[in-house]
């Protein structure tokens, strides 16, 4: 696909943007095409390709491996297990810019499984697409007690952190959370929302939060890109010292 040759934006910037878009849409997963392949695909010179690749290497998106080619190098977001943090906090700690887009918000009747988890028959449901540095990171679905959900609707949920609103604005103090993490292939619906390949592997998390009085606060069902998000845990082995 040729670039826009009459655009005032230099060709190597345009090409770098095209390569980056293909990386984050899942078209380039590990190794990107060779210089010759990029020259043929985008109808540009070798020097333009090399300028673009150098730009992406300096930005930390790509890395060169001598004798092997150029590979995708995405800075992962690390979330330490054992700490109850918002997605915004985790992304900001990695010196990245968090973002959100509200996809859906409505009152829903819960199925038997969710009733058992939450103790509710109805809940307010919110679905948001999450970003890191303006790139789609994952999709989060939240369930809240009706009164709490109605209060959250008063805020701009494309900008605000749920946890910040709940604790700082609404005065609910989260106390404890149970979380489960598995791996799955992304659903076709979520792949379309995130504009990524439907073969992309995702980290699937479920988390239930209660307040200091043991009352249900939130249930979250979320998926995150496994190439951009990882969970860490600090372990130690105990010894008896006599």
């Amino acid at each position: 696909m040729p670039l826009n040759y009459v655009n005032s934006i230099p060709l190597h910037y345009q090409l770098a943007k095209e390569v980056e878009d293909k990386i984050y849409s899942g078209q380039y997963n590990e190794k990107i095409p060779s210089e010759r392949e990029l020259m043929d695909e985008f109808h540009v010179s070798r020097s333009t390709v090399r300028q673009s690749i150098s730009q992406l290497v300096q930005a930390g998106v790509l890395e060169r491996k001598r004798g092997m080619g150029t590979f995708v190098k995405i800075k992962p977001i690390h979330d330490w297990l054992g700490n109850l943090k918002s997605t915004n906090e985790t992304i900001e700690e990695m010196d990245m810019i968090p973002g959100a887009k509200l996809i859906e918000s409505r009152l829903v009747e819960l199925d038997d499984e969710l009733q058992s988890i939450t103790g509710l028959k109805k809940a307010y449901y919110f679905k948001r697409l999450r970003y890191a540095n303006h790139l789609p990171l994952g999709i989060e679905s939240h369930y809240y007690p009706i009164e709490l959900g109605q209060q959250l609707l008063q805020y701009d949920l494309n900008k605000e952190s749920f946890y910040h609103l709940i604790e700082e604005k609404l005065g609910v103090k989260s106390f404890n959370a149970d979380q489960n993490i598995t791996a799955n292939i992304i659903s076709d619906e979520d792949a379309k929302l995130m504009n990524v390949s439907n073969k992309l592997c995702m980290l699937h998390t479920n988390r239930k939060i209660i307040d200091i009085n043991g009352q249900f606060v939130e249930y979250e069902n979320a998926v995150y890109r496994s190439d951009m998000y990882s969970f860490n845990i600090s372990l130690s082995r105990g010894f008896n010292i006599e």
Side-chain angles (χ1 to χ4, degrees), residues 31-48:
K31 184 179 180 181
I32 69 167
S34 67
E35 288 184 358
R36 170 52 62 185
E37 289 171 327
L38 290 173
M39 290 166 59
D40 292 342
E41 180 179 357
F42 294 99
H43 308 292
V44 293
S45 67
R46 188 179 298 275
S47 63
T48 296

Side-chain angles (χ1 to χ4, degrees), residues 25-81:
S25 68
Q27 295 179 62
Y28 296 163
N29 289 312
E30 296 182 4
K31 184 179 180 181
I32 69 167
S34 67
E35 288 184 358
R36 170 52 62 185
E37 289 171 327
L38 290 173
M39 290 166 59
D40 292 342
E41 180 179 357
F42 294 99
H43 308 292
V44 293
S45 67
R46 188 179 298 275
S47 63
T48 296
V49 171
R50 288 181 174 175
Q51 279 184 286
S52 302
I53 299 306
S54 294
Q55 179 181 330
L56 293 174
V57 168
Q58 291 177 2
V61 176
L62 297 175
E63 64 176 335
R64 292 190 179 98
K65 296 184 179 180
R66 186 179 298 275
M68 299 176 64
T70 306
F71 293 79
V72 175
K73 180 184 179 183
I74 299 176
K75 182 180 180 181
I77 297 166
H78 301 292
D79 191 1
W80 280 93
L81 296 177

Side-chain angles (χ1 to χ4, degrees), residues 24 129 136-139 186 190-196 202 225:
Y24 291 115
L129 180 59
L137 166 67
I139 296 174
I186 191 171
D190 287 347
K192 186 175 181 180
L193 275 175
M194 296 180 65
N195 192 30
V196 296
M202 307 290 286
R225 292 180 57 157

Side-chain angles (χ1 to χ4, degrees), residues 150-211:
Q150 290 173 332
Q151 292 176 298
L152 288 170
L153 285 172
Q154 308 305 311
Y155 298 91
D156 185 351
L157 299 179
N158 290 307
K159 296 180 179 179
E160 298 281 2
S161 161
F162 278 134
Y163 296 113
H164 173 76
L165 290 175
I166 289 170
E167 294 198 338
E168 301 300 325
K169 301 293 185 180
L170 304 181
V172 178
K173 299 302 180 183
S174 301
F175 177 69
N176 188 40
D178 291 322
Q179 181 163 301
N180 175 261
I181 305 169
T182 57
N184 286 304
I185 297 298
I186 191 171
S187 69
D188 290 339
E189 178 185 355
D190 287 347
K192 186 175 181 180
L193 275 175
M194 296 180 65
N195 192 30
V196 296
S197 168
N198 60 5
K199 294 181 172 56
L200 186 66
C201 186
M202 307 290 286
L203 292 175
H204 184 187
T205 74
N206 296 307
R207 181 161 66 182
K208 176 184 174 180
I209 298 177
I210 59 174
D211 66 14

Side-chain angles (χ1 to χ4, degrees), residues 79-90 114 117-118 128 130 140-144 161-164 166 174-182 204-210 216-224 229 231:
D79 191 1
W80 280 93
L81 296 177
N83 295 320
L84 182 53
K85 296 183 295 185
S86 70
T87 304
N88 276 16
E89 290 171 328
T90 299
L114 285 175
I117 293 171
T118 65
R128 296 201 301 179
R130 298 308 312 267
E140 297 174 342
S141 296
H142 301 262
Y143 298 86
Y144 294 101
S161 161
F162 278 134
Y163 296 113
H164 173 76
I166 289 170
S174 301
F175 177 69
N176 188 40
D178 291 322
Q179 181 163 301
N180 175 261
I181 305 169
T182 57
H204 184 187
T205 74
N206 296 307
R207 181 161 66 182
K208 176 184 174 180
I209 298 177
I210 59 174
F216 170 75
V217 173
E218 180 207 60
Y219 179 69
E220 179 189 73
N221 185 343
V223 291
Y224 301 102
Y229 205 103
F231 289 91

